[in-house]
C-alpha cells in the first residue's frame, strides 16, 4: 500500500450502514421517515402548484416561498429514497461518484435553504418598513437575481468538497456509519489527513450560516423597531402576524442544523452515534415536512387558495403584503 497512488486507494463504492446500533429497528425507524417524506412531497408540490395557479399569490413573499418549497422537496428527495432502500431492502452500496454527487446536493441545497430563509426575512423587512415601495423594490427581475445568487453561492462554496474528498486515500475500508453521504462522514472513512476538509467545512458553515443568521437578525431587529413604533395595536398585530410563519420556519430549520453541526465536530464523544444520525436525518426532513403545514395554517391567503381550489371560484383571496 505504501507505493500505491491515490487512485488505487479510491473505493469503487461505499457501504452506508444506516443507523449503527439500531439495525434491528430499521423497519420501524423507516415508517415515520417515509410518512414525513410523503407529506413533504405532497405539501411542497401542492404549495408550488397553488402559487403558480393562483394569480393573487403572484407576489414576492410567495415567490420566495415557492423557491423554498422547491429547495426542500429536492433536498429530501436526494436522501430519503436511498435511505428507505437501506432500511427496507438492505441495499447499502452506493457508487463512489454517486456518493460524491449526493454529498454535493445535500450541502448545496441546505446552503440554498438557509439563503432563501434569509431572502424571506429581507422580504418581510421591505414589506413592513417600506410598504409603499414594496412592489417597486422587489420586482420580478430582482427576485430572480436574488434566487440565482443564492443558488450560485451554494454551488461555488460546496464544489471544493468534491475535490477535497475525492483526493483522500481510503485504505481503512468503505463503511460509512450514516444513512447518506455527508461530507465529514465520508472524510472520516479516509486513512489520510482530512484536517483541510474539516477546516474548509467549518469555513463554509460560517460563511453561509453566520452570514444568513446575521442578515435575518438585523432584518427582524429593524422590523421590531418599525412595528413597535406603530400607534395602532391592530396594525402591530397584523405586522407581527405576517412574520410568524417565517419565524417558525427559521426555528424548524436552524435548531436541528446547529445540533448536527456542533455534535459532528465537538460532541461525538458525549452523544450516542445513533442519536446523531437520527437528528441529522430530521435536519433534512423536518423543514420540508413542516414548512407547508406551518404556512398553510398561519397564512390566510394560502388557506383561502386551497379552499378556492377545492370549491372553485366561490372564494376571493385576500391580497396582503
Amino acid at each position: 500500500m505504501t507505493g500505491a497512488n491515490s487512485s488505487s486507494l479510491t473505493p469503487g463504492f461505499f457501504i452506508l450502514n444506516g443507523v449503527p446500533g439500531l439495525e434491528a429497528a430499521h423497519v420501524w425507524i423507516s415508517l415515520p421517515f417515509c410518512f414525513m417524506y410523503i407529506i413533504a412531497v405532497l405539501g411542497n408540490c401542492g404549495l408550488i402548484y397553488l402559487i403558480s395557479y393562483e394569480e393573487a399569490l403572484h407576489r414576492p413573499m410567495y415567490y420566495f416561498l415557492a423557491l423554498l418549497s422547491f429547495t426542500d422537496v429536492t433536498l429530501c428527495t436526494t436522501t430519503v429514497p436511498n435511505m428507505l432502500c437501506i432500511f427496507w431492502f438492505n441495499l447499502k452500496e452506493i457508487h463512489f461518484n454517486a456518493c460524491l454527487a449526493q454529498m454535493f446536493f445535500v450541502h448545496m441545497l441546505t446552503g440554498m435553504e438557509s439563503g432563501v430563509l434569509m431572502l424571506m426575512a429581507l422580504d418581510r423587512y421591505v414589506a413592513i418598513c417600506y410598504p409603499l415601495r414594496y412592489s417597486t423594490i422587489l420586482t420580478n427581475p430582482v427576485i430572480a437575481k436574488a434566487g440565482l445568487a443564492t443558488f450560485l453561492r451554494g454551488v461555488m462554496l460546496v464544489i471544493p468538497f468534491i475535490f477535497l474528498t475525492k483526493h483522500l486515500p481510503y485504505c481503512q475500508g468503505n463503511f460509512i456509519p450514516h444513512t447518506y453521504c455527508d461530507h465529514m462522514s465520508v472524510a472520516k472513512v479516509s486513512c489520510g489527513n482530512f484536517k483541510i476538509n474539516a477546516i474548509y467545512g467549518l469555513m463554509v458553515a460560517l460563511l453561509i450560516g453566520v452570514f444568513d443568521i446575521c442578515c435575518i437578525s438585523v432584518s427582524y431587529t429593524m422590523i421590531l423597531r418599525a412595528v413597535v413604533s406603530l400607534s395602532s395595536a391592530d396594525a402591530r398585530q397584523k405586522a407581527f402576524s405576517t412574520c410568524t410563519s417565517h419565524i417558525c420556519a427559521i426555528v424548524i430549520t436552524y435548531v436541528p442544523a446547529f445540533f448536527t453541526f456542533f455534535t459532528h465536530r465537538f460532541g461525538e464523544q458525549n452523544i450516542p452515534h445513533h442519536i446523531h444520525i437520527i437528528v441529522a436525518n430530521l435536519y433534512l426532513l423536518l423543514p420540508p415536512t413542516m414548512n407547508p403545514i406551518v404556512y398553510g395554517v398561519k397564512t390566510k391567503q394560502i388557506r383561502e387558495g386551497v379552499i378556492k381550489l377545492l370549491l372553485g371560484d366561490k372564494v376571493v383571496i385576500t391580497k396582503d403584503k
Side-chain angles (χ1 to χ4, degrees), residues 197-213:
N197 295 66
I199 294 173
Y200 184 74
L202 182 61
M203 288 174 56
V204 170
L206 293 175
L207 285 172
I208 293 179
V210 174
F211 176 78
D212 291 346
I213 291 172

Side-chain angles (χ1 to χ4, degrees), residues 38-78:
I38 292 172
I39 294 176
V41 171
L42 294 178
N44 286 287
C45 290
L47 203 53
I48 293 170
Y49 174 77
L50 178 64
I51 293 170
S52 63
Y53 168 83
E54 184 51 60
E55 189 175 351
L57 299 180
H58 291 177
R59 306 179 69 79
M61 171 184 172
Y62 301 107
Y63 289 148
F64 287 129
L65 179 57
L67 181 59
L68 179 66
S69 293
F70 176 77
T71 304
D72 281 344
V73 75
T74 307
L75 174 60
C76 61
T77 300
T78 301

Side-chain angles (χ1 to χ4, degrees), residues 125-158:
Y125 164 71
V126 175
I128 293 173
C129 298
Y130 302 98
L132 299 180
R133 298 172 55 193
Y134 179 67
S135 58
T136 57
I137 294 175
L138 291 177
T139 60
N140 288 345
V142 170
I143 295 170
K145 290 176 183 177
L148 179 61
T150 303
F151 170 74
L152 292 177
R153 181 189 70 167
V155 171
M156 298 305 294
L157 289 176
V158 172

Side-chain angles (χ1 to χ4, degrees), residues 216-233:
I216 291 170
S217 300
V218 170
S219 297
Y220 273 102
T221 300
M222 301 299 291
I223 289 171
L224 188 61
R225 290 178 57 185
V227 171
V228 170
S229 65
L230 295 174
S231 57
S232 170

Side-chain angles (χ1 to χ4, degrees), residues 27-314:
V27 174
W28 295 106
I29 295 173
S30 71
L31 296 180
F33 285 140
C34 180
F35 181 67
M36 291 172 68
Y37 178 63
I38 292 172
I39 294 176
V41 171
L42 294 178
N44 286 287
C45 290
L47 203 53
I48 293 170
Y49 174 77
L50 178 64
I51 293 170
S52 63
Y53 168 83
E54 184 51 60
E55 189 175 351
L57 299 180
H58 291 177
R59 306 179 69 79
M61 171 184 172
Y62 301 107
Y63 289 148
F64 287 129
L65 179 57
L67 181 59
L68 179 66
S69 293
F70 176 77
T71 304
D72 281 344
V73 75
T74 307
L75 174 60
C76 61
T77 300
T78 301
T79 58
V80 176
N82 187 62
M83 178 182 67
L84 293 179
C85 286
I86 295 171
F87 289 159
W88 291 345
F89 309 113
N90 206 34
L91 299 176
K92 298 183 177 182
E93 292 186 5
I94 182 170
H95 191 273
F96 181 77
N97 290 328
C99 182
L100 295 183
Q102 185 184 56
M103 180 179 70
F104 169 78
F105 281 109
V106 166
H107 291 288
M108 186 273 288
L109 290 168
T110 52
M112 188 171 176
E113 181 182 49
S114 176
V116 174
L117 288 173
M118 181 264 292
L119 293 178
M120 295 173 77
L122 297 178
D123 166 78
R124 291 298 84 205
Y125 164 71
V126 175
I128 293 173
C129 298
Y130 302 98
L132 299 180
R133 298 172 55 193
Y134 179 67
S135 58
T136 57
I137 294 175
L138 291 177
T139 60
N140 288 345
V142 170
I143 295 170
K145 290 176 183 177
L148 179 61
T150 303
F151 170 74
L152 292 177
R153 181 189 70 167
V155 171
M156 298 305 294
L157 289 176
V158 172
I159 278 181
F161 284 171
I162 305 300
F163 296 102
L164 290 173
T165 306
K166 193 167 187 177
H167 286 86
L168 288 172
Y170 296 90
C171 53
Q172 297 182 145
N174 58 351
F175 290 86
I176 300 177
H178 214 305
T179 56
Y180 61 87
C181 292
D182 170 79
H183 174 227
M184 288 308 299
S185 295
V186 176
K188 288 177 180 179
V189 177
S190 167
C191 57
N193 187 349
F194 55 85
K195 184 179 292 186
I196 296 177
N197 295 66
I199 294 173
Y200 184 74
L202 182 61
M203 288 174 56
V204 170
L206 293 175
L207 285 172
I208 293 179
V210 174
F211 176 78
D212 291 346
I213 291 172
C214 286
C215 290
I216 291 170
S217 300
V218 170
S219 297
Y220 273 102
T221 300
M222 301 299 291
I223 289 171
L224 188 61
R225 290 178 57 185
V227 171
V228 170
S229 65
L230 295 174
S231 57
S232 170
D234 290 338
R236 288 196 295 269
Q237 183 179 1
K238 183 179 179 182
F240 274 128
S241 67
T242 64
C243 300
T244 54
S245 299
H246 183 244
I247 293 172
C248 290
I250 291 171
V251 173
I252 291 169
T253 300
Y254 282 112
V255 169
F258 279 129
F259 180 89
T260 300
F261 175 78
F262 285 113
T263 55
H264 223 321
R265 285 161 175 81
F266 310 113
E268 285 192 328
Q269 304 300 323
N270 302 320
I271 299 175
H273 194 62
H274 63 271
I275 298 296
H276 169 73
I277 300 301
I278 291 174
V279 174
N281 282 280
L282 288 175
Y283 162 50
L284 301 183
L285 255 177
L286 193 62
T289 303
M290 294 303 299
N291 285 343
I293 297 173
V294 169
Y295 276 93
V297 171
K298 294 284 187 180
T299 309
K300 180 181 178 182
Q301 291 74 25
I302 293 178
R303 292 200 307 269
E304 292 176 347
V306 172
I307 295 172
K308 184 177 179 180
L309 278 178
L310 296 176
L311 300 181
D313 296 330
K314 299 177 182 179

